[in-house]
Amino acid sequence: MDFTSQDIAVIEQALQFAIKSQHDANKVQSYQEVLTKLRTNASEAMKSAAYSLQDGFRFDYDDSSDLQ
């Protein structure tokens, strides 16, 4: 399943809220671990997406004038 950056932001906010409102140390630790994984994976996904845009293909739209 692919998450958008907005999805990730919502999940991150929900985890932060859960951490702040939770009194059980075990649950807080679990939420913090998930939040850390989310941030790490989201960061890697963003880097991967940025690299995929650098594929080397460029389009020259000036060639369309030859068709007229």
Side-chain angles (χ1 to χ4, degrees):
M1 178 186 319
D2 293 332
F3 291 107
T4 66
S5 58
Q6 185 177 5
D7 295 335
I8 293 169
V10 169
I11 295 168
E12 185 175 356
Q13 288 175 349
L15 286 168
Q16 289 173 345
F17 179 77
I19 289 168
K20 289 178 184 177
S21 63
Q22 188 57 247
H23 299 292
D24 183 354
N26 290 329
K27 288 184 180 181
V28 168
Q29 183 178 359
S30 295
Y31 296 155
Q32 287 176 332
E33 289 174 7
V34 172
L35 183 58
T36 300
K37 289 178 188 177
L38 176 72
R39 287 178 175 163
T40 301
N41 291 337
S43 175
E44 291 300 318
M46 293 299 195
K47 287 179 188 175
S48 176
Y51 290 135
S52 69
L53 293 175
Q54 299 173 354
D55 59 2
F57 291 103
R58 300 296 174 260
F59 298 97
D60 185 4
Y61 294 105
D62 292 337
D63 292 341
S64 63
S65 63
D66 295 340
L67 300 174
Q68 296 176 356

